[in-house]
Amino acid sequence: MRSKWAILWLLVVLAVGAHQVWFWFSARLDTDVLALLPEDEQAPEVGAATRKLADGASRELVLLVGAKDWEAAQRAADVAREELSRDPSLLKPSALDASSLDVALELYRPYRDRLLTPAQRAWLTRATAEELGGTALMKLYQPAGPRLTDWEADPLGLWPDWWAARAAESTARPRDGRLWLSGEGREWVLLAFHSQVSAFALGADGRITGVVERARAAVTAAVPGSRMVVAGVPLYAEAAASQASNEMSTIGIGSMAAVLLLVWLTFRSVRPILLVGVSLVIGCAVAISVTALVFDRVHLLTLVFGSSLVGVAEDYGFHYFAARQGKPPSERGALMRGLLPGMVMALLTSVVAYLALGIAPFPGLRQMALFSATGLVGAFLTVACWFPHLDTGALPVTPFAQRFATSLARWPRFTSTRAWWTGTAVLALFILGGLWRLKTRDDVRQLQGAPAHLIADQRELGRLLGLPSPAQFFLVRGQDAEQVLEREAKLKERLDVFVADRMLPGYRAVSDWLPSAEQQRADARLSARAEAQAVAAVAEATGEAPTRARFADGVLTPEQLLASPASAAIRQQWLGAMGDQHFSIVMLRGLDAPSLLPHLAEAARGLEGVRWVDKTQEISGLLERYRELMGGLIVLGYVAVLLLLVTRFRRQAWRAWLPTVVGTLFTLAVFGWVGEPLQLFSVLGLMLLLGMGVDYGIFMLEHPGEGSAWLAVALAGVSTLLSFGLLGLSATPALRSFGLTMLLGEVAIWLLTPCCRLPAGKDVS
């Protein structure tokens, strides 16, 4: 029977191996940070809007190249463009320059008469025939110069003002065929490049980052005193890939090397090292394959988190070889049968704890949960099915193992004495004081671990260009495109109050570039009447008979605008049809005052079809809710685990349960005393402590008084400390908090477990 299970598991492992070849050659890794975030529970369209904004920027690099004077800035920009364009398969210049204005002019020219600003609309409504005629005469006789159109097509000179209002959405202006702005003591040239590779398919080689840094160095060398500021999703994606790769090497390889060193010191044999290594490799391979099959793609952060699996999955191999020492090979089958009940119970508690991660609606957490749970199952099945067949040689007790196993007799044991109760009281006061000081923090920015220089460049570029925020916006809904544009117009009336009061620099809406059909028709009638009066006044004053140009009969439609390159600025804000509704996004520029956010939320109140979205606040609220939910689940989990332990260990179950409870409270108390806030990822660490910490007590109760059980617990505890403790080195704040939680909790549980062991000569009955 054991041979059948071994063969069956071999077939599964071979299938996993074939899948691994396909997985690594098909680049099924994901670096998109949005994939880690929960979907909006009440409004899926909010998630779609966020995704649309992210997709629109996922391949774009925006650069500002600046110098003390305009000539130097142009030279520096030419150097930067040349360096960044060397590899057309990597980066391609975007059509973001003064020439792009010609494309937009051609699109809008037939509809010029129905493109009015609110100020123009108000003026045309109240202006007299004399005022209109005077303005038209002034425009007719003004000095010749560059014009957007001839006088007959725009006798009142309305169109330049409309374009000036559109240009106000950015501080960049055309100059010498480039886009220029001045700020912070420099003249800047605006450049844009499009990545030919998806930002979320980038590897850890940092190709775009390398090109950008070479361009930065070339600019500085060619034009001393010049500066290049660059931002874009591809740079963040490459930084995330590089960081994840480094951390996987530090955490995964480092912890595996530490585990194998422990195995060597304990057993002084290559066979345990190889077999434990095989169980770890197979466990990780199974985890990757199952996760890829369920989620299609595996996130890099999942691999970083999963690399700590090494610290848990080797427990089963340790337990087997610790019990195997000093016993003849002929007993290995019976030995495994005796170990299986305790190992299965330990596996169940760990898997349940890992799968609890999947309750929260975070795709990233669900991946981590499935990855870790299946990885443990894979490692366990490798030990249970293969070790009795592959472990054929002798395994004598080494001096190191002997000394460690006998140290259990010298380890203090909890007894009802004054000294123990005094120590317990001191510990209780420490825990209560720490819990009293414990604070919470639920901030989505804890998911970020971007390099500081990228964040600094992003902020500077956003400040200079006045870019809109992708985290706070208004989502406008309507039965059709026309209703969406009409509702945008009503929202803009309220936002104009904030702009007039200088509380908000501005906003960007689709209806700025595409008024509703009804508004276009009304503006066309208004401009036709006013311009007819103006042309008549000019004819009377000059004795000539000028005529007003003819314009398109219909209206400019969303389909026409979106099909033109002129829509590049607002294309990502038009969501179009989703289900039976249409949606658009109104974005806000220069939003850097948190105190303004509640007022903006109030601006949407009472406007049908308009919703204020503060994605940062929404996700932070989700983090808070699920932290509270997971906290409640931990309490229920402790109760459930205690009941499970009671079914096997009866009145002695508290000995396996209490160390984990105290270790959890001790960790929270330390956080309180040192000022480390409690967050969702800390709570997730506490959940895993429940599953893994109880394992040590189970091993000690299953084999009371046996030095091999203590040896297995000691090895498992130290290796877990190494792997999870290394997570505290992660540059990702969430993983670092998780690692610190596991480090403190594991130390406390490991030290307390032998103190709660059974008295000598007593069993669990």
Side-chain angles (χ1 to χ4, degrees):
M1 177 60 79
R2 291 198 307 271
S3 298
K4 292 181 179 179
W5 283 110
I7 294 173
L8 180 61
W9 183 239
L10 175 62
L11 295 176
V12 173
V13 171
L14 291 175
V16 169
H19 180 268
Q20 288 291 294
V21 174
W22 172 84
F23 174 83
W24 292 108
F25 277 96
S26 60
R28 309 302 292 176
L29 291 179
D30 192 2
T31 63
D32 182 7
V33 71
L34 294 176
L36 299 173
L37 303 181
E39 299 177 0
D40 191 281
E41 298 166 309
Q42 287 79 36
E45 63 270 15
V46 174
T50 305
R51 175 64 63 179
K52 183 72 175 286
L53 293 177
D55 289 345
S58 64
R59 291 176 180 257
E60 300 302 319
L61 281 182
V62 180
L63 301 91
L64 284 175
V65 184
K68 294 297 183 182
D69 58 76
W70 177 235
E71 290 73 18
Q74 293 183 86
R75 292 199 309 273
D78 290 338
V79 172
R81 181 185 291 274
E82 181 181 357
E83 287 293 328
L84 293 170
S85 303
R86 287 187 183 278
D87 185 356
S89 66
L90 190 61
L91 289 174
K92 180 180 179 182
S94 297
L96 185 61
D97 52 39
S99 63
S100 60
L101 177 62
D102 297 334
V103 178
L105 286 173
E106 289 305 312
L107 171 70
Y108 284 106
R109 196 181 305 278
Y111 308 96
R112 194 283 309 160
D113 63 325
R114 62 216 63 184
L115 301 174
L116 300 177
T117 67
Q120 290 172 336
R121 200 173 293 126
W123 178 68
L124 292 178
T125 301
R126 69 172 184 270
T128 65
E130 290 76 13
E131 290 175 319
L132 294 171
T135 301
L137 281 170
M138 181 185 67
K139 297 294 182 182
L140 178 64
Y141 291 120
Q142 70 182 10
R147 295 173 181 262
L148 294 179
T149 186
D150 54 29
W151 182 87
E152 288 81 4
D154 186 19
L156 294 174
L158 299 174
W159 211 17
D161 290 341
W162 187 83
W163 279 108
R166 304 290 74 78
E169 295 183 359
S170 172
T171 55
R173 297 289 182 271
R175 181 176 179 182
D176 297 336
R178 306 173 189 265
L179 289 178
W180 155 84
L181 63 92
S182 180
E184 300 185 354
R186 295 177 186 269
E187 305 298 308
W188 301 88
V189 177
L190 176 62
L191 301 174
F193 284 82
H194 184 80
S195 171
Q196 301 298 95
V197 183
S198 172
F200 303 138
L202 297 172
D205 52 356
R207 295 175 62 199
I208 292 180
T209 302
V211 170
V212 168
E213 292 307 314
R214 286 195 296 273
R216 196 191 304 271
V219 165
T220 304
V223 184
S226 61
R227 189 156 186 272
M228 189 174 89
V229 180
V230 57
V233 174
L235 296 179
Y236 282 90
E238 286 193 344
S242 176
Q243 175 182 305
S245 176
N246 292 335
E247 290 181 0
M248 286 172 62
S249 299
T250 302
I251 298 169
I253 298 177
S255 58
M256 180 174 288
V259 167
L260 296 180
L261 177 61
L262 281 172
V263 175
W264 171 255
L265 290 175
T266 304
F267 303 110
R268 295 296 180 90
S269 173
V270 176
R271 188 170 67 256
I273 294 177
L274 292 177
L275 291 181
V276 171
V278 166
S279 70
L280 298 181
V281 170
I282 291 178
C284 290
V286 169
I288 292 173
S289 292
V290 173
T291 304
L293 291 173
V294 173
F295 291 95
D296 185 54
R297 304 180 71 86
V298 180
H299 201 282
L300 276 172
L301 194 59
T302 300
L303 294 183
V304 174
F305 177 88
S307 62
S308 64
L309 182 68
V310 173
V312 186
E314 90 292 333
D315 288 6
Y316 313 115
F318 279 165
H319 197 42
Y320 170 81
F321 281 112
R324 170 77 168 78
Q325 273 190 320
K327 295 183 173 60
S330 59
E331 296 182 9
R332 60 189 188 276
L335 175 67
M336 179 59 74
R337 287 193 296 272
L339 295 174
L340 277 178
M343 291 171 63
V344 168
M345 178 166 286
L347 174 68
L348 288 176
T349 56
S350 297
V351 167
V352 168
Y354 272 119
L355 291 180
L357 297 177
I359 295 177
F362 289 74
L365 291 181
R366 288 173 175 169
Q367 273 202 19
M368 294 177 193
L370 183 64
F371 185 99
S372 301
T374 54
L376 280 183
V377 172
F380 169 81
L381 290 175
T382 302
V383 172
C385 296
W386 287 2
F387 277 27
H389 296 279
L390 300 177
D391 177 33
T392 57
L395 193 66
V397 178
T398 64
F400 177 84
Q402 180 67 33
R403 286 195 299 271
F404 208 101
T406 56
S407 69
L408 179 63
R410 299 187 297 274
W411 200 276
R413 190 200 312 267
F414 180 79
T415 55
S416 184
T417 62
R418 183 174 182 178
W420 272 101
W421 284 114
T422 300
T424 301
V426 171
L427 179 61
L429 289 174
F430 175 85
I431 289 175
L432 290 174
L435 294 178
W436 179 261
R437 297 166 57 92
L438 185 64
K439 306 295 183 182
T440 61
R441 184 183 65 190
D442 303 288
D443 190 341
V444 67
R445 283 164 288 195
Q446 65 191 308
L447 294 174
Q448 268 190 343
H453 72 275
L454 287 183
I455 297 176
D457 271 13
Q458 179 80 42
R459 289 175 176 170
E460 183 175 2
L461 191 140
R463 185 173 61 253
L464 287 167
L465 289 175
L467 297 177
S469 168
Q472 291 86 21
F473 54 86
F474 290 96
L475 186 65
V476 183
R477 169 181 52 82
Q479 295 294 329
D480 51 33
E482 178 72 3
Q483 189 175 61
V484 169
L485 295 172
E486 290 173 351
R487 289 176 173 177
E488 273 195 11
K490 294 180 180 179
L491 171 64
K492 291 193 299 183
E493 291 177 2
R494 296 192 179 183
L495 295 180
D496 285 337
V497 176
F498 292 95
V499 176
D501 293 340
R502 300 183 181 276
M503 299 173 64
L504 184 69
Y507 54 82
R508 191 171 72 190
V510 176
S511 55
D512 291 337
W513 296 84
L514 178 69
S516 68
E518 182 59 34
Q519 185 68 66
Q520 290 185 55
R521 285 189 284 265
D523 286 349
R525 291 191 296 268
L526 180 60
S527 64
R529 178 184 61 80
E531 291 175 2
Q533 292 178 316
V535 169
V538 170
E540 182 179 352
T542 63
E544 299 180 1
T547 58
R548 179 176 181 262
R550 294 182 58 84
F551 298 98
D553 293 330
V555 297
L556 182 63
T557 65
E559 291 74 20
Q560 289 174 273
L561 177 60
L562 294 174
S564 168
S567 65
I570 48 88
R571 187 178 294 130
Q572 62 180 346
Q573 293 177 235
W574 186 255
L575 302 182
M578 294 175 54
D580 58 351
Q581 300 282 306
H582 286 67
F583 296 88
S584 73
I585 300 168
V586 175
M587 303 185 71
L588 306 171
R589 293 189 291 109
L591 188 59
D592 56 5
S595 59
L596 183 59
L597 298 181
H599 299 287
L600 291 171
E602 189 65 26
R605 193 178 302 278
L607 289 180
E608 186 176 359
V610 178
R611 170 175 174 166
W612 165 249
V613 177
D614 185 347
K615 201 62 182 175
T616 301
Q617 182 60 39
E618 286 187 12
I619 296 179
S620 296
L622 278 177
L623 291 172
E624 179 181 8
R625 287 210 308 277
Y626 285 96
R627 172 181 54 78
E628 295 172 351
L629 171 63
M630 297 301 285
L633 288 175
I634 289 178
V635 176
L636 294 177
Y638 274 108
V639 174
V641 167
L642 179 60
L643 294 176
L644 182 64
L645 293 173
V646 167
T647 61
R648 181 163 182 81
F649 302 119
R650 306 300 181 187
R651 290 180 298 176
Q652 305 300 330
W654 68 270
R655 298 181 182 274
W657 182 78
L658 186 62
T660 305
V661 174
V662 177
T664 297
L665 296 176
F666 174 81
T667 301
L668 293 175
V670 172
F671 275 26
W673 283 112
V674 302
E676 176 73 18
L678 182 67
Q679 52 173 275
L680 174 62
F681 290 86
S682 306
V683 175
L684 296 177
L686 297 177
M687 176 67 78
L688 299 189
L689 282 178
L690 168 61
M692 292 182 293
V694 171
D695 291 356
Y696 306 151
I698 291 174
F699 290 153
M700 296 295 288
L701 288 179
E702 284 285 346
H703 309 280
E706 293 186 15
S708 63
W710 168 233
L711 177 62
V713 166
L715 291 174
V718 172
S719 59
T720 301
L721 287 177
L722 288 171
S723 57
F724 281 112
L726 288 175
L727 278 178
L729 301 176
S730 174
T732 304
L735 286 181
R736 185 168 60 248
S737 176
F738 180 88
L740 291 175
T741 302
M742 295 300 299
L743 176 65
L744 292 170
E746 278 288 321
V747 168
I749 294 170
W750 186 78
L751 292 175
L752 288 172
T753 295
C755 296
C756 294
R757 68 188 186 277
L758 285 166
K762 189 172 183 178
D763 57 31
V764 297
S765 59

